[in-house]
Amino acid sequence: MRALVLVMSLACVIHPREAASQSLTAEAAVTGGYSTDDLAAVAAQLRAFGETKGAWRFFGELSWAGRSRDDVESDAFGAAYPYGKRLDVIEAYGERLLRPGGAIVDVRGGRFRPPFGISSGSDHAYWGFLRPPAIRYAEFLVVSNTFLEHGVSVLAGVPKLTVEAAVGAPADVGDHGRRGGADALVRVQGYAGRFIAGISYMRTSPIETAAIAPGRATFTGIDARWMSGGVQLRGEWVDGQPFDGATSTGWYADVIVHRTHMGPVTAIARFERLDREGLNEAAGEYLSRETLGARVRVSEGLSLTVNVLHQSGDPRYRPNALDVAVTWSVRSR
Amino acid sequence: MKANAPLIGALILAVSSAMQCIAAPARAALRARVQQQSEADLHGTARVRDRAVPDAVVWLDAPNAPAARAGGPRAVLDQRNLAFVPHVVIVRVGSTVDFPNNDRVFHNVFSYRDGKRFDLGTYPVGTERQVVFDQPGLSRIFCNIHPGMAAYVMTVDTPYFAHADENGAFTIREAPGGSYTYHAWRPGAAELSGTWASDWGPLSLVWK
């Protein structure tokens, strides 16, 4: 079914006259990792993207990932992809970007990550963090990195200020997907100098069944980035209800240091907290975590990532962990 | 006879002026012909064995070439469809390269190895950053978020350079006639160099 969605999405945007692609890039990334949470993991992503002669852009991504154990409570290696030992279509969309008079108009249709906050898979998978922020992990019933939409999104504005609206239906991957129904999202993003900020609002179906999670899920988020001299500060704050009668509020702040004299090394740190009310008591009422790490670009296609972290609040999680991963990526044009 | 002297003088002057008027276009045409011979477009092809190389760059050493004009032509290294376009750029020392982001996702352009070192930070769709490449050499350009994105900026200290097209053909514009040391480079291969005289015909570059 998901493969069918991929094919249909691409077929929708590639008109027969334009079937001859102006550009096509194929990319593969393979990751192997180990965590002191007693987990090993392996993952592979395949991507194809490019642009037709009619200036339609297309993007498709397949992912397979598995972990050595399913009986361990850990979000290691779940930064952007599910580890369900299944082949999943992650994104599959067509897109048209127009620049009338310097303005931006972009229409996207198909299957895509909901544009809530810092939402790009690359933003979470390749900066050097091996775990998702707690406010981005589906098991915590927040706005997960494994949420996907079947729908349409429209972005309009000027580079300094854009508004994006998306409507669709949940089509998540992983073990904690939202139930069906229509949902909607709006996001406003602006920048001034080196400071970029956005506000997002999402109304969607809850994760879990209606018997467990009645009503609707609504989330509001604020995200910001600032960067200068190779030092980036970024973060998100999210507040909302995962279903009627429950609340989730959390934030994370990342420091990413990649000064030119550091060569291939990117140093990272993350501070985060998630507070929950009205949810599963076994998970505790909060999770607090600090992560330090680095990503080293060993060669053009090979990178090594190391994270050490300390966490508290959720009794199911070990207080300390070390995660190591190697990613190899290759691209053909 | 004395009475006719001014008339004769005026006649000589008129004939002289007429001859100058006739001779001026002829001299200009001759100068243009000389210029055409001394500043010609130099052609060539780049191949790996029998296969054309579209991303090869070639340049000629020219230590006595005129200095670059301030605010000269700018090059563009676009970020589009999760790729840098074009894959290889060649510019003269002192040139500015624009790095626009034409993707909806953020990019973080940086160079840390050889050549110009910089980190432009993350910036959104519709915005761009600039870098002045002020030293000769090869700069390897990456995106810190998208590991597959890579491009090259070759900065050369000469106005006589070219980038091969999709058929491997290149043209170095308006190079004075003479003998040169040429250099050629393409991604993943060693630099070629040798001697080439403009009257030897097209330059054929072949990587084994």
Side-chain angles (χ1 to χ4, degrees), chain A residues 49 51 57 59 95 97 99 106 122 126-127 153 159 164 191 196 227 258 260 263 266 295 297 331 333, chain B residues 55 80-82 87 102-104 106 108 110 112 118-119 121-122 126-127 142-146 148 152:
Chain A
F49 48 89
E51 188 169 340
R57 301 179 182 191
F59 181 91
E95 179 178 30
L97 175 66
R99 298 298 308 276
D106 184 284
S122 296
Y126 293 113
W127 270 117
S153 92
E164 183 168 11
Y191 83 89
I196 305 163
M227 188 161 188
H258 184 238
T260 50
T266 301
R295 182 168 67 99
R297 188 184 281 258
R331 172 180 283 198
R333 296 185 303 128
Chain B
D55 277 327
R80 189 182 183 88
N81 295 319
L82 306 179
H87 189 49
N102 281 304
D103 276 336
R104 249 170 71 159
F106 286 72
N108 185 157
F110 74 99
Y112 72 88
F118 59 89
D119 188 326
T122 52
T127 60
F142 300 106
C143 171
N144 210 17
I145 314 174
H146 301 95
Y152 303 89

Side-chain angles (χ1 to χ4, degrees), chain B residues 109-124:
Chain B
V109 182
F110 74 99
S111 163
Y112 72 88
R113 286 173 65 177
D114 318 314
K116 181 77 174 180
R117 297 182 180 192
F118 59 89
D119 188 326
L120 297 182
T122 52
Y123 51 105

Side-chain angles (χ1 to χ4, degrees), chain B residues 128-170:
Chain B
E128 71 176 31
R129 301 277 192 267
Q130 290 83 30
V131 175
V132 176
F133 287 79
D134 49 10
Q135 294 293 327
L138 179 67
S139 301
R140 297 162 208 267
I141 314 297
F142 300 106
C143 171
N144 210 17
I145 314 174
H146 301 95
M149 287 178 66
Y152 303 89
V153 176
M154 178 64 81
T155 310
V156 294
D157 196 10
T158 171
Y160 310 120
F161 57 81
H163 183 289
D165 65 17
E166 65 272 17
N167 299 314
F170 61 84

Side-chain angles (χ1 to χ4, degrees), chain A residues 133-137 142-143 236-238 250-252 272-274:
Chain A
I135 61 169
R136 287 286 181 175
Y137 191 49
V142 280
V143 186
E236 288 186 84
W237 173 85
V238 173
W251 57 268
Y252 71 91
E272 59 182 317
R273 183 178 173 100
L274 172 64

Side-chain angles (χ1 to χ4, degrees), chain B residues 166-187:
Chain B
E166 65 272 17
N167 299 314
F170 61 84
T171 300
I172 298 175
R173 303 280 176 202
E174 299 177 354
S179 180
Y180 291 96
T181 298
Y182 71 82
H183 304 269
W185 178 88
R186 69 178 181 87

Side-chain angles (χ1 to χ4, degrees), chain A residues 37-62:
Chain A
D37 281 351
D38 281 342
L39 278 176
V42 63
Q45 285 86 40
L46 289 171
R47 304 180 189 98
F49 48 89
E51 188 169 340
T52 70
K53 286 182 177 173
W56 279 92
R57 301 179 182 191
F58 54 90
F59 181 91
E61 182 180 39
L62 293 169

